[in-house]
C-alpha cells in the first residue's frame, strides 16, 4: 500500500473557475487581446513540464494522445474491458487531471511526487487498449516505455523535488550539487546575468568540469553569429560565449525551450495588435524580445511599461517569475496570467493603497529601514481568465526584480474568483480546531483571508528597504550614521553591485520573504484603519482579527505536511513560513497558543490548536513586533549568516522541547486534505468574435479543457515536447 501522500485521492476537490460575467463585460477588442495573451500564457506554461521532472513532458504527451482520440466518457468502457474497476479508472482520471493542474508529476504545493493510484499493469492495459495505441502502436509503445518506469517510481530522491541527494530537479543536471549552484551564482553575478530564465548543465571533460548556462529563448545559439544577436538584443557581447571563471569553464548559450518560446512570441505579437495603449504595446514588445533572445534586461524593460499601465481593464503578466521551485532559490518558473478587473472589490484595495503612507510608519522598524518613497502601485482584485504554471495563487506582488521594486514600483493583485473557490471549506473538513471555533472560522475565513492577502501583498512585499552600494561605490544610505535597531550598533553589511535578495539569501529567500509578508499582515490587521478599509468595525472587526490569527496558527500545524524528515528540508515556502510563525507565537507563552495531541473520535491520533483571543493585542502583537523587526533588519543589511541562524532555528522540526513536531507531522499526514484542482476556461476565435468555452468542475472536465487547449498544432507540439525532453534526457542519469 503506497503512502497516501504520494497519490491524489479519488474524491479530491475539483472546481471550475468562474469568469463568465467578467469576460462578458469586456469589449470585443479586449476579448481578442485576452484571447491572444491567454494563448501565449498557455503555450509558455508548457515549459513548466520541462522545469519539473525528466518524465513530465513525456507523460503529458502520452495523456494528450490518449484523450484527444477518446474523451473520458468514451474511454471508460475501454478501461472496463481492459480489466479496470470503476475506482481504478477514476484514479487514472484524477492522476491525469493532477498532472495537468500541476504541469508535471510533482505537486505544485509541496513538491511531492504523485503517482497513479492503480496497479501499473492495469494502466498499461488501458494505454494499450486505447484508440491512440491502435492507430500508432509503435509510437505509443515507445512513449509508454520512455516514461512508465519513472511514472510509478518512488525510489529514494524521486519522492520530492530537490538538489543533489535531496531530490529531483531539472533546473540543474543530475550531477550538480549545492556547491555547483553556488559557483554558478557567483559566475552569473560576475557576468551581471540574472538566473531567472536559466538552467545549469555540468559535464566533465578530461577531468575538468565544464558548465553550460542555458537561457530560455526562441533563438538558438549557433543559428546565427551570437555577437550579432547580442547586438540586436541591446546586451553586451560578453553575455553569450565561453568564459573561464575560478578555474572552471562556463558557456552561456541560448535556445532553452526554443520551440515553446517561439509560440509564446507569436501570440504576444498577435496580442500587440489589440493592445489598448502604448504602454501595453511596449510592454509586450519587451516580453517578446526577452523570450526571443533570452534577455532578462528586455523583460525588465517590459515590466517597467507594465507598472506604468495603470488600471487596465485586462491585467496580465508573463515570464519566468517565481523562484519557489528552484532548490537554490534564484531560477524562475514560467508563469502567465490574464484576468479582468473586479471594480467593486478593487475600490477597497485602492483605499488601502491611498492609506499606505499612514500604515507603513506603524511597522516595527525605524524610518531609515523603509523605502525612501512609497511608489503607489496599482492594487486590483481580478477575476482570473487564465493562470498558467504549476499552480494558481490567491494574490501576487510583482515584478520580483529588486532594483525595479525599490526605485520604480510594482503592482499587487488579489485573485477574487480564486479566493472564492479555492478557500471555501466545509465544517466536517476543518481539522485540528475546537468545535466552538469552526462556525466562526467558516463565517469569517474569506473576509479575513481577503484582508490578509491585501496587507501581505501591498505592505508586506511592498515594504522595507534594501541597503545597497552600487558598482560605482555609491550608497543608498548613510553608512556612517545608520544604526541597527536590534544591536544598537552601526550597520556593517549591505548588498554590493549586482547582488540581489535572491542571490544572497538563495535557498531560504522565498520562504523568509513570505514569512516577513505574513507577519506584516498579522501585525497590521490589528490596526483599526486597516480593518475599516475592508469594511470591518466593532465586534465584526475583532472576529476578523481572531480568525486571521487562528488561520495562521492552524496553517503552521498543517505546514508539517510539507516537511521532509529524511533530508531535514521544507518543500513549500508559504507553509514553512506559517510553521515559523506558529513557533514564534508558541514561544511567546502566557497561554497565547495552546497545542496538544489528543485521540480523535475514530481512536486514531489527532491534535487540537487553540488561540486565546484576549491576548492577541498584547502577547501576540509584541511577539510578532519583535520578530518582524529582526526579519526586516537582517534582510535590509544582507546579513545572511544572521538571517539563516534565525530562520533555520524556527524552521527546525524536532521531537524535543514542549512539542513533538515529528510525531505531530504523522498526525497531520493522517488527517490531511489535498488542495483543490481548478478547471479553467478556454477562448477561441469564431469569425470576428471570441467565444468563452467552459468545462465542468471535475477531473474529466479538467482533462477536456487541456485536450481542447492545443488543438491547432497538437501533433507538432507533442513532437516538439518529446524532442526537447529527449535532448536533455542524458543529463538526468546520475
Amino acid at each position: 500500500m503506497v503512502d497516501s501522500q504520494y497519490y491524489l485521492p479519488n474524491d479530491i476537490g475539483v472546481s471550475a473557475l468562474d469568469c463568465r460575467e467578467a469576460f462578458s463585460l469586456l469589449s470585443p477588442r479586449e476579448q481578442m487581446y485576452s484571447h491572444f495573451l491567454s494563448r501565449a500564457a498557455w503555450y509558455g506554461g508548457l515549459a513548466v513540464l520541462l522545469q519539473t521532472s525528466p518524465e513530465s513532458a513525456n507523460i503529458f504527451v502520452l495523456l494528450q494522445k490518449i484523450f484527444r482520440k477518446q474523451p473520458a466518457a468514451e474511454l471508460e468502457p475501454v478501461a472496463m474491458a481492459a480489466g479496470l474497476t470503476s475506482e481504478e479508472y477514476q484514479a487514472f482520471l484524477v492522476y491525469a487531471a493532477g498532472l495537468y493542474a500541476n504541469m508535471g508529476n510533482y505537486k505544485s504545493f509541496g513538491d511531492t511526487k504523485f503517482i497513479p493510484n492503480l496497479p501499473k499493469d492495469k494502466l498499461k492495459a488501458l494505454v494499450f487498449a486505447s484508440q491512440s495505441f491502435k492507430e500508432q502502436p509503435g509510437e505509443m509503445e515507445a512513449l509508454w516505455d520512455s516514461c512508465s518506469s519513472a511514472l510509478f517510481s518512488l525510489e529514494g530522491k524521486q519522492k520530492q523535488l530537490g538538489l543533489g541527494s535531496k531530490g529531483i530537479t531539472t533546473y540543474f543536471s543530475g550531477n550538480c550539487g549545492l556547491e555547483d549552484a553556488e559557483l554558478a551564482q557567483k559566475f552569473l553575478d560576475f557576468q551581471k546575468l540574472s538566473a531567472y530564465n536559466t538552467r545549469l548543465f555540468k559535464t566533465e571533460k578530461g577531468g575538468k568540469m565544464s558548465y553550460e548556462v542555458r537561457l530560455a529563448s526562441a533563438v538558438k545559439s549557433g543559428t546565427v553569429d551570437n555577437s550579432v544577436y547580442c547586438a540586436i538584443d541591446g546586451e553586451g557581447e560578453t553575455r553569450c560565449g565561453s568564459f573561464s571563471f575560478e578555474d572552471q569553464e562556463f558557456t552561456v548559450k541560448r535556445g532553452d525551450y526554443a520551440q515553446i518560446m517561439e509560440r509564446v512570441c507569436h501570440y504576444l505579437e498577435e496580442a500587440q495588435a489589440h493592445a489598448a495603449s502604448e504602454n501595453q504595446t511596449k510592454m509586450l514588445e519587451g516580453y517578446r524580445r526577452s523570450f526571443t533572445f533570452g534577455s532578462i534586461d528586455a523583460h525588465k524593460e517590459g515590466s517597467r511599461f507594465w507598472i506604468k499601465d495603470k488600471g487596465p481593464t485586462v491585467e496580465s503578466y508573463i515570464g519566468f517569475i517565481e523562484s519557489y521551485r528552484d532548490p537554490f532559490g534564484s531560477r524562475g518558473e514560467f508563469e502567465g496570467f490574464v484576468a479582468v478587473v473586479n471594480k467593486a472589490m478593487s475600490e477597497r484595495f485602492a483605499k488601502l493603497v491611498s492609506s499606505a503612507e499612514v500604515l507603513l510608519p506603524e511597522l516595527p522598524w525605524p524610518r531609515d529601514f523603509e523605502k525612501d518613497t512609497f511608489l503607489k502601485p496599482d492594487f486590483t482584485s481580478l477575476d482570473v481568465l487564465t493562470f498558467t504554471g504549476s499552480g494558481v495563487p490567491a494574490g501576487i506582488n510583482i515584478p520580483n526584480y529588486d532594483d525595479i521594486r525599490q526605485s520604480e514600483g510594482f503592482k499587487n493583485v488579489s485573485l477574487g474568483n480564486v479566493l472564492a473557490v479555492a478557500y471555501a471549506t466545509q465544517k466536517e473538513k476543518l481539522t485540528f480546531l475546537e468545535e466552538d471555533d469552526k462556525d466562526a472560522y467558516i463565517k469569517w475565513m474569506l473576509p479575513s483571508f481577503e484582508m490578509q492577502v491585501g496587507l501581505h501583498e501591498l505592505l508586506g512585499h511592498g515594504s522595507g528597504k534594501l541597503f545597497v552600494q552600487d558598482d560605482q561605490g555609491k550608497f543608498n544610505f548613510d553608512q556612517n550614521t545608520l544604526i541597527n535597531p536590534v544591536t544598537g550598533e552601526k550597520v556593517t553589511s549591505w548588498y554590493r553591485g549586482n547582488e540581489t535578495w535572491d542571490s544572497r539569501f538563495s535557498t531560504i529567500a522565498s520562504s523568509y520573504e513570505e514569512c516577513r509578508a505574513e507577519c506584516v499582515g498579522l501585525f497590521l490587521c490589528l490596526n483599526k484603519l486597516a480593518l475599516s478599509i475592508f469594511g470591518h468595525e466593532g465586534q465584526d472587526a475583532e472576529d476578523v482579527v481572531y480568525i486571521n490569527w487562528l488561520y495562521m496558527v492552524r496553517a503552521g500545524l498543517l505546514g508539517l505536511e510539507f516537511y521532509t524528515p529524511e533530508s531535514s528540508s521544507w518543500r513549500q515556502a508559504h507553509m514553512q513560513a506559517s510553521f515559523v510563525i506558529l513557533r514564534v507565537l508558541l514561544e511567546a507563552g502566557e497561554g497565547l497558543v495552546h497545542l496538544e495531541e489528543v485521540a480523535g473520535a475514530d481512536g486514531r491520533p489527532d491534535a487540537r490548536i487553540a488561540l486565546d483571543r484576549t491576548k492577541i493585542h498584547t502577547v501576540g502583537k509584541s511577539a510578532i513586533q519583535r520578530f518582524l523587526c529582526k526579519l526586516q533588519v537582517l534582510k535590509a543589511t544582507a546579513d545572511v549568516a544572521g538571517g539563516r541562524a534565525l530562520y533555520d532555528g524556527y524552521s527546525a522540526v524536532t521531537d524535543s522541547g514542549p512539542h513533538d513536531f515529528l510525531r505531530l507531522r504523522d498526525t497531520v499526514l493522517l488527517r490531511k486534505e489535498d488542495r483543490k484542482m481548478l478547471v479553467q476556461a478556454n477562448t477561441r476565435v469564431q469569425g470576428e468574435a471570441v467565444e468563452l468555452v467552459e468545462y465542468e468542475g471535475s477531473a474529466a472536465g479538467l482533462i477536456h479543457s487541456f485536450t481542447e487547449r492545443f488543438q491547432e498544432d497538437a501533433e507538432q507540439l507533442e513532437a516538439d515536447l518529446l524532442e526537447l525532453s529527449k535532448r536533455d534526457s542524458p543529463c538526468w542519469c546520475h
Side-chain angles (χ1 to χ4, degrees), residues 124-188:
K124 180 178 180 179
L126 173 56
V127 172
F128 281 48
S130 69
Q131 183 64 29
S132 186
F133 190 93
K134 288 177 181 176
E135 292 181 15
Q136 297 178 304
E139 184 179 341
M140 288 296 286
E141 184 167 4
L143 188 49
W144 169 259
D145 289 343
S146 74
C147 64
S148 57
S149 177
L151 197 152
F152 279 91
S153 175
L154 289 172
E155 296 292 318
K157 67 179 189 176
Q158 291 187 336
K159 290 180 179 178
Q160 68 275 318
L161 299 179
L163 185 58
S165 62
K166 291 190 173 184
I168 290 292
T169 180
T170 49
Y171 287 102
F172 299 86
S173 56
N175 55 354
C176 283
L178 183 60
E179 65 282 359
D180 299 298
E182 289 171 341
L183 176 64
Q185 188 62 56
K186 287 182 186 176
F187 167 74
L188 291 169

Side-chain angles (χ1 to χ4, degrees), residues 413-706:
V413 297
S414 175
L415 305 179
N417 59 342
V418 175
L419 277 170
V421 171
Y423 294 90
T425 189
Q426 298 163 307
K427 190 172 181 178
E428 59 271 20
K429 293 186 176 181
L430 275 179
T431 52
F432 310 129
L433 292 180
E434 302 280 6
E435 284 300 316
D436 291 348
D437 282 331
K438 290 184 179 179
D439 289 329
Y441 192 96
I442 288 170
K443 180 178 180 180
W444 295 108
M445 162 60 204
L446 281 175
S448 69
F449 196 68
E450 173 188 284
M451 183 175 180
Q452 178 70 10
V453 168
L455 295 171
H456 171 116
E457 299 296 349
L458 177 69
L459 302 173
H461 293 315
S463 67
K465 184 172 181 172
L466 300 184
F467 299 127
V468 180
Q469 180 184 16
D470 65 21
D471 285 336
Q472 283 72 48
K474 185 181 176 183
F475 292 87
N476 70 344
F477 65 101
D478 187 342
Q479 75 275 23
N480 296 314
T481 61
L482 186 64
I483 300 298
N484 180 322
V486 176
T487 65
E489 299 171 359
K490 282 186 181 179
V491 166
T492 57
S493 59
W494 47 82
Y495 298 86
R496 298 169 191 272
N498 208 45
E499 292 178 344
T500 65
W501 160 248
D502 281 333
S503 71
R504 291 286 284 130
F505 281 74
S506 66
T507 54
I508 66 165
S510 291
S511 184
Y512 186 113
E513 174 59 12
E514 293 304 331
C515 187
R516 196 183 70 88
E518 294 285 39
C519 287
V520 168
L522 287 179
F523 187 75
L524 288 179
C525 84
L526 304 176
N527 184 284
K528 286 188 176 180
L529 172 61
L531 285 160
S532 68
I533 288 169
F534 285 89
H536 307 307
E537 308 277 354
Q539 186 56 47
D540 286 358
E542 289 303 311
D543 288 340
V544 165
V545 167
Y546 176 59
I547 295 305
N548 195 32
W549 279 61
L550 183 63
Y551 174 88
M552 190 61 66
V553 296
R554 178 174 181 259
L557 181 58
L558 295 177
L560 287 167
E561 176 190 340
F562 304 94
Y563 176 76
T564 303
E566 293 80 6
S567 57
S568 300
S569 61
W570 285 88
R571 306 186 312 274
Q572 214 292 321
H574 299 81
M575 300 312 280
Q576 180 182 358
S578 298
F579 178 75
V580 166
I581 292 169
L582 171 61
R583 290 282 310 277
V584 169
L585 295 177
L586 283 167
E587 183 183 86
E590 299 187 48
L592 174 68
V593 177
H594 183 65
L595 172 60
E596 64 174 337
E597 297 180 63
V598 299
D602 56 6
R604 297 191 295 175
D606 207 338
R608 287 290 176 273
I609 194 158
L611 173 70
D612 187 338
R613 67 190 297 159
T614 68
K615 295 177 179 174
I616 293 173
H617 286 271
T618 52
V619 181
K621 182 179 181 180
S622 295
I624 291 297
Q625 189 170 14
R626 289 190 300 272
F627 184 61
L628 181 51
C629 182
K630 288 178 187 174
L631 288 176
Q632 171 56 23
V633 168
L634 292 164
K635 177 186 178 182
T637 58
D639 185 349
V640 179
R644 282 191 176 278
L646 178 73
Y647 204 68
D648 289 346
Y650 281 109
S651 298
V653 178
T654 68
D655 56 5
S656 59
H659 301 288
D660 185 339
F661 286 115
L662 284 173
R663 190 166 63 220
L664 278 164
R665 177 181 176 274
D666 293 336
T667 302
V668 169
L669 287 173
L670 179 68
R671 306 281 179 185
K672 77 182 181 74
E673 180 189 3
D674 283 86
R675 287 169 68 84
K676 284 181 182 174
M677 297 191 288
L678 301 179
V679 183
Q680 299 184 52
N682 282 322
T683 53
R684 63 180 171 219
V685 177
Q686 299 281 69
E688 297 295 308
V690 180
E691 180 187 2
L692 186 73
V693 186
E694 296 173 291
Y695 305 88
E696 68 175 29
S698 66
L702 205 163
I703 293 165
H704 191 197
S705 73
F706 268 87

Side-chain angles (χ1 to χ4, degrees), residues 323-334:
S323 55
Y324 301 127
R325 295 184 99 184
D326 169 14
F328 190 67
S330 58
R331 286 156 190 79
E333 182 176 81
F334 194 93

